[in-house]
Amino acid sequence: MSKLTIIADIKANPDKVDLVKAALLKLIEPTRAEEGCINYDLHQDNDDPAHFFFYENWETRDLWLSHMNSDHLKAHQVATEGCIEAIVVSEMTVIG
Amino acid sequence: MSKLTIIADIKANPDKVDLVKAALLKLIEPTRAEEGCINYDLHQDNDDPAHFFFYENWETRDLWLSHMNSDHLKAHQVATEGCIEAIVVSEMTVIG
């Protein structure tokens, strides 16, 4: 099974930017410790502080799915409930 | 001036996917040769072949702006005119 790139585009509610940012930062350490996590990098938009973006690479899709079922991700979803305006996750492949 | 991350989300017109893909691939070599280009990686969505994505890092914003004014990017824009449904470029900073 080939490497999987995940892009996760996250828009926080305007009044919850700090809360969402702290919650996203909290995901990094436990996620990078997970099996199959190649990189997991968080970004913030220079022109829109409410806009966050994860660029991730995983050894396999199965290992990414395990991440999606992890305790720390579930805790994150609970902690940010009602604080996120939109989130778009795309599964991609590097082609060049 | 700090490192700049660029994410470029590109949606090709459904009937122009191959043309746009070839044109995007053509950008890679000359762009990676440009001063300040740290990485310039092209992706295609596993669930939507018309959806492409560049993940880029540049040493400075100025060097990225030079790229945006380069001959090969201008030639790309001419070659793909009328073939791209949407393109969203965001300037970001790694925060974790």
Side-chain angles (χ1 to χ4, degrees):
Chain A
M1 202 179 285
S2 57
K3 181 177 87 165
L4 174 68
T5 298
I6 294 294
I7 60 172
D9 203 272
I10 301 134
K11 193 73 184 287
N13 288 342
D15 60 332
K16 300 288 185 190
V17 172
D18 291 342
L19 181 151
V20 171
K21 182 173 182 175
L24 292 171
L25 286 166
K26 224 172 127 184
L27 280 174
I28 293 173
E29 200 177 327
T31 300
R32 284 180 180 162
E34 289 184 71
E35 187 190 354
C37 180
I38 298 169
N39 69 285
Y40 187 76
D41 303 320
L42 179 62
H43 306 71
Q44 187 169 21
D45 193 316
N46 297 348
D47 302 311
D48 176 6
H51 180 204
F52 297 93
F53 175 79
F54 269 115
Y55 178 70
E56 314 171 28
N57 281 292
W58 294 85
E59 284 170 15
T60 69
R61 186 168 193 268
D62 285 347
L63 290 170
W64 172 62
L65 289 176
S66 312
H67 160 66
M68 293 304 279
N69 287 310
S70 64
D71 292 342
H72 50 274
L73 195 69
K74 285 176 186 157
H76 168 79
Q77 287 159 344
V78 169
T80 56
E81 203 164 341
C83 303
I84 291 183
E85 194 175 283
I87 178 164
V88 177
V89 176
S90 303
E91 299 182 33
M92 308 202 107
T93 299
V94 177
I95 59 168
Chain B
M1 203 179 283
S2 57
K3 182 176 87 166
L4 174 68
T5 298
I6 294 293
I7 59 172
D9 203 274
I10 301 133
K11 192 74 184 285
N13 288 342
D15 61 333
K16 299 289 184 191
V17 172
D18 291 342
L19 182 151
V20 170
K21 182 173 183 175
L24 292 171
L25 286 166
K26 226 171 123 184
L27 280 175
I28 294 173
E29 200 176 325
T31 299
R32 285 180 180 162
E34 288 184 70
E35 188 191 354
C37 179
I38 299 169
N39 68 286
Y40 186 77
D41 303 322
L42 178 61
H43 307 71
Q44 187 169 21
D45 193 317
N46 298 349
D47 302 311
D48 177 7
H51 180 204
F52 297 94
F53 175 80
F54 269 116
Y55 178 69
E56 313 171 28
N57 282 290
W58 293 85
E59 285 172 11
T60 69
R61 186 169 194 266
D62 285 346
L63 290 170
W64 172 62
L65 290 176
S66 312
H67 161 67
M68 294 304 279
N69 287 311
S70 63
D71 292 342
H72 51 275
L73 196 70
K74 285 177 186 155
H76 168 79
Q77 287 159 344
V78 170
T80 56
E81 203 161 342
C83 302
I84 291 183
E85 194 177 284
I87 179 163
V88 178
V89 177
S90 302
E91 298 182 34
M92 308 202 103
T93 299
V94 178
I95 59 167

